[in-house]
Amino acid sequence: MARLRRRKAIGQGEGNGRRRRMGVDVLRWSEYPSVPWKNSGGVTREVAADAMRAPLAPAEPVAGFDWRVSVADVDTQGPFSSFPGIDRVITLVEGEGMVLTVDGTRQPVARLAPFSFSGDAATDCELKAGAVRDLNVMTRRGRATAHVQILPVTAAQTLTVACTGGEVLLVMAVTGGITVTAPGAPDTAGAPDTAEAALGRLDCVRHEGPGPLALRGDGTVAEIRITPAH
């Protein structure tokens, strides 16, 4: 008879919200730090980031990030901050949509439709019908690349996502009602253990290393894959 797997809350018993268990962090919306926009036009909430480790060239500053994932509220129209050397993927998670003008080219951006553009470009934002909230993924060119896709989670079938060699996987709950199960260490008898957490709206799981994440429920998630440059 197969042994039952034990299920524990991911990070159970730890108190800082950025909870780690076997390469899995649970990141809570209520605990994301607020960071002012570069142009001081608003505030973004930082979900996760990885700092640069060494310069590519003598003239390149070490300060900054290889990649950053954040969520921003945009309630006024106007120019975006300039980020030379940064590639960006923006995804509306709330609101009726906006139009970005990137180096003179107008690009409608619909809800849950990831849009990639260069942080070097002169970019202006026009709101279609009031404030929006966006998921913003930035990667430093030559350091890392990002791929963002929106995935449905249905009650009828478990959705499984996994890391591939060396990448960082982040899964953000665009809606509530999502439960994530992560691999854990075997127990003393050698049977596989598991760790489980319920995700609220805009909570996120960061996963590095072997073993898939299993997503259950009825809603939508954003899958973010960060691949370091080699």
Side-chain angles (χ1 to χ4, degrees):
M1 183 173 65
R3 185 182 180 90
L4 294 177
R5 295 184 298 171
R6 297 177 296 164
R7 292 194 171 183
K8 302 177 182 178
I10 296 176
Q12 186 175 16
E14 301 176 27
N16 63 4
R18 296 193 172 232
R19 304 178 177 98
R20 192 161 191 83
R21 177 180 169 86
M22 295 300 293
V24 178
D25 286 316
V26 179
L27 313 175
R28 298 295 184 186
W29 165 256
S30 61
E31 297 175 349
Y32 298 155
S34 295
V35 181
W37 288 2
K38 185 179 177 183
N39 66 6
S40 301
V43 173
T44 191
R45 293 176 176 88
E46 186 173 282
V47 179
D50 190 13
M52 293 176 63
R53 292 171 290 279
L56 286 171
E60 184 184 56
V62 175
F65 54 82
D66 286 334
W67 58 266
R68 188 179 80 167
V69 176
S70 61
V71 176
D73 291 323
V74 182
D75 55 13
T76 58
Q77 304 185 130
F80 276 15
S81 301
S82 174
F83 284 93
I86 299 296
D87 292 321
R88 304 183 63 175
V89 183
I90 196 168
T91 308
L92 287 189
V93 293
E94 294 181 18
E96 297 301 318
M98 62 184 178
V99 177
L100 297 184
T101 301
V102 182
D103 278 347
T105 301
R106 286 171 58 84
Q107 172 66 49
V109 180
R111 186 174 179 273
L112 301 184
F115 172 63
S116 302
F117 64 106
S118 171
D120 302 81
T123 303
D124 195 80
C125 172
E126 175 187 334
L127 300 177
K128 286 188 173 182
V132 299
R133 175 172 285 168
D134 63 67
L135 168 64
N136 190 26
V137 181
M138 297 186 182
T139 51
R140 188 171 299 276
R141 207 167 298 130
R143 294 282 188 172
T145 58
H147 180 261
V148 180
Q149 64 176 333
I150 302 299
L151 302 173
V153 181
T154 64
Q157 185 175 5
T158 298
L159 174 66
T160 301
V161 294
C163 291
T164 59
E167 72 179 4
V168 179
L169 172 65
L170 298 104
V171 178
M172 175 174 284
V174 178
T175 62
I178 305 295
T179 298
V180 59
T181 302
D187 63 16
T188 55
D193 196 4
T194 58
E196 186 174 276
L199 301 181
R201 186 177 179 85
L202 301 182
D203 288 348
C204 187
V205 173
R206 174 176 174 172
H207 181 40
E208 299 175 61
L213 299 177
L215 304 170
R216 296 178 289 108
D218 188 6
T220 304
V221 299
E223 180 196 77
I224 305 156
R225 293 183 181 272
I226 308 291
T227 304
H230 297 291

